[in-house]
Amino acid sequence: MSEQYEYVPHRLLHRRVRDIASGVEGELMAVINENVSDAPTEHWVELAYIRGASGLEFTTSAANVEPAE
């Protein structure tokens, strides 16, 4: 797997967000366009890194991020 990635600007960066897939809320720390393929063919996805209340970060698709209410 290629260790390639790039940071992507996001309007909710450093704001409180909710992962619609899990319902978990936290602060959006970064959005990264990352190659997640183990094969010779690259597969790029935009991953959102969210820091939850426990202080641990988790990832989800950037498309799953919405402002927390």
Side-chain angles (χ1 to χ4, degrees):
M1 179 167 109
S2 176
E3 296 295 330
Q4 298 176 342
Y5 62 91
E6 63 183 3
Y7 287 92
V8 177
H10 195 281
R11 66 183 179 85
L12 297 173
L13 194 61
H14 302 296
R15 297 182 65 193
R16 188 145 184 86
V17 297
R18 184 173 78 87
D19 171 24
I20 60 174
S22 67
V24 177
E25 294 185 5
E27 181 181 351
L28 180 61
M29 304 307 291
V31 176
I32 297 177
N33 191 23
E34 191 169 338
N35 178 13
V36 296
S37 177
D38 286 334
T41 305
E42 295 180 349
H43 179 74
W44 292 82
V45 295
E46 284 191 3
L47 293 176
Y49 286 75
I50 300 172
R51 182 173 294 157
S54 67
L56 297 176
E57 291 184 13
F58 64 94
T59 60
T60 190
S61 169
N64 286 346
V65 174
E66 68 180 14
E69 301 199 17

